[in-house]
Amino acid sequence: MLPVSNPATGQIVREVATASREDVSAAVTAASAAFAGWRATTPLKRARVMFRYKDLLERNADRIVALITEEHGKVLDDARGELMRGIEVVEYACGAPELLKGEHSKDIGPSIDSWSEFQPLGVVAGITPFNFPAMVPMWMFPMALACGNTFVLKPSEKDPSTAMVLAELLQEAGLPDGVFNVVNGDREAVDALLEDPRVQAVSFVGSTPVAEHIYRTGSANGKRVQALGGAKNHAIVMPDADLDNAVAALMGAAYGSCGERCMAISVAVCVGERTADELVAKLAARLKVLKVGPGTMPGAEMGPLVTQEHFEKVRGYVDLGVAEGAELVCDGRSLVVKGSERGFFLGGCLFDRVRPAMRIYQEEIFGPVLCVVRADSLAEAMALVDAHEYGNGTCIFTRDGGTARWFSDNIRVGMVGVNVALPVPVAYHSFGGWKRSLFGPLAAYGPDAVRFYTQRKTISQRWPGNAAETAQFAFPSSSTQG
Ligand code: NAD
């Protein structure tokens, strides 16, 4: 059993049972047994389950949102936003029959037709992080199921209850027993999934060290793996940027969800001293009035960090930044939220004059800490982004089209915004970073999900007439065929 806390109160609200190897094996057995029937269910009937699921998710939204806020801490509006983004993937999955149509070529040779079809893999597993307990699981299972696979989900042990509601609603939507399964737990459950030969593929989202471990172990065990990792997303602020809009966007992107987003902006690179001076002054003024409190508090803009342990880790990074010589312009460490003194609250922190050699620049903090780096030119700013080990998201604030175009064309990052601070792709595109933010060739949801959760089979078919045939020893090609 592991404790699950409400981060706004610091109280343990429930416990989660951790799955043993036997429990995981039982879930995989159930998913294996359900596969043949689900695979044989027509794509349209599978899609109908998704249509009903979308409706049930919408009707149960308040309950799900409340649960996300209770266990994760994010403010209610933010929790609703993540649920909506998950529902958008369900909507995309409703169109799976169209996406699975395959490719067909008639007359590739004499009386020979050929086609490629996309068949489900079998049992696939999803391992998800704490920061989006609804959305990230829904990046995975709606498309996996709509493509005909069965699924075992291992959600984060820090906020596991949302996944149970997602499962309950799938059942209510008419999904047959065994097609979707949840196992709770930590490393032991994950290792059991990675080692089970019946699991064909693994989708992982979480921190980079674990993503790399999952990618290597899963691949070594012969599985198809996509493992999305951590991030350090830079925003470049050009001297010609609309600074008020940039500040508004950066506040949401850096401090929304208490900085616990893989697309959070954690570094603002200001081109020119004047840009930096003005941006820092405006951010500091806005941070003074940032409304921090329990996610359920009306008007709250930022909630607590997820656990006491994570709170201490993030706070430790703020101490480290001071020791490394960065200038702490706004210090959230002394924040006290009246009535919630035992919650895991840290106020918004802003560092200026951060240098690339500092650990607060290099490492993912995953908290409400924005680092400002000063650069002399766009080239210097872009070189910083390119040199960083992570390459999840980035954005530029500018009024110049040529600058924006040069930036988006050349920057070595997977998801790019131009005056958009959180360029999270919509459900009908795919989500994936570059460099050490994604291990594996295929990104999450969107068109890549069809490729990840299916395997291509190409069939060539000939119905010869009654004419006598002679043996052909040359390799068949367009020049040997009539
Ligand atoms: P985490 O890596 O600690 O945990 C993720 C999952 O892996 C959980 O289910 C956890 O139980 C399991 N796990 C943890 N340690 C493990 C181990 N040693 N072996 C096997 N399994 C293990 O991540 P987290 O703290 O829950 O989430 C935050 C991280 O996720 C951040 O780094 C964030 O950037 C990243 N993230 C990335 C994306 C993305 O799309 N790239 C999206 C969301 C979050």
Side-chain angles (χ1 to χ4, degrees), residues 165-416:
V165 179
L166 297 180
E168 180 194 315
L169 297 179
L170 271 174
Q171 201 171 33
E172 210 177 318
L175 194 75
D177 285 352
V179 174
F180 182 75
N181 310 270
V182 182
V183 290
N184 282 298
D186 49 19
R187 184 172 183 156
E188 188 184 349
V190 173
D191 286 345
L193 284 169
L194 290 177
E195 285 160 23
D196 194 315
R198 296 169 297 173
V199 174
Q200 302 299 317
V202 176
S203 296
F204 172 87
V205 176
S207 58
T208 285
V210 183
E212 194 164 19
H213 160 72
I214 302 276
Y215 185 72
R216 285 177 192 272
T217 313
S219 304
N221 290 342
K223 300 182 196 316
R224 183 180 290 195
V225 186
Q226 57 177 183
L228 286 75
K232 193 83 176 177
N233 306 308
H234 295 54
I236 295 182
V237 185
M238 295 300 290
D240 69 347
D242 176 336
L243 275 194
D244 289 329
N245 277 342
V247 166
L250 286 176
M251 285 299 301
Y255 302 105
S257 201
C258 213
E260 293 168 322
R261 291 179 184 145
C262 65
M263 288 293 275
I265 293 289
S266 47
V267 179
V269 187
C270 296
V271 175
E273 290 292 327
R274 205 170 138 202
T275 314
D277 291 344
E278 283 181 29
L279 187 89
V280 169
K282 283 176 188 281
L283 283 170
R286 182 63 182 84
L287 266 172
K288 278 206 180 88
V289 293
L290 182 71
K291 290 192 193 72
V292 185
T296 49
M297 183 180 90
E301 294 171 319
M302 189 174 98
L305 287 157
V306 67
T307 56
Q308 176 76 34
E309 188 190 1
H310 191 55
F311 168 83
E312 276 159 20
K313 181 177 163 195
V314 176
R315 203 191 140 98
Y317 270 112
V318 182
D319 298 342
L320 175 68
V322 173
E324 286 182 310
E327 188 184 316
L328 186 57
V329 179
C330 296
D331 184 355
R333 290 174 296 179
S334 53
L335 175 84
V336 176
V337 176
K338 286 214 174 81
S340 302
E341 287 79 2
R342 298 188 59 201
F344 312 137
F345 290 98
L346 183 69
C349 299
L350 178 64
F351 277 112
D352 193 4
R353 299 181 192 282
V354 173
R355 289 187 306 279
M358 295 176 178
R359 276 182 54 203
I360 57 162
Y361 173 78
Q362 291 165 354
E363 296 171 18
E364 181 182 45
I365 298 174
F366 222 55
V369 183
L370 178 62
C371 295
V372 172
V373 179
R374 292 170 177 241
D376 289 333
S377 63
L378 175 63
E380 186 187 333
M382 285 176 63
L384 277 174
V385 180
D386 286 349
H388 207 284
E389 67 168 318
Y390 297 118
N392 218 36
T394 188
C395 75
I396 191 164
F397 291 98
T398 180
R399 286 190 170 99
D400 185 82
T403 300
R405 193 161 189 271
W406 171 258
F407 172 79
S408 42
D409 221 19
N410 291 290
I411 203 74
R412 290 183 56 225
V413 171
M415 292 169 284
V416 178

Side-chain angles (χ1 to χ4, degrees), residues 24-49:
V24 173
S25 181
V28 177
T29 300
S32 304
F35 177 60
W38 186 240
R39 179 189 193 272
T41 304
T42 65
L44 206 53
K45 284 190 178 154
R46 295 197 299 249
R48 278 186 199 136
V49 174

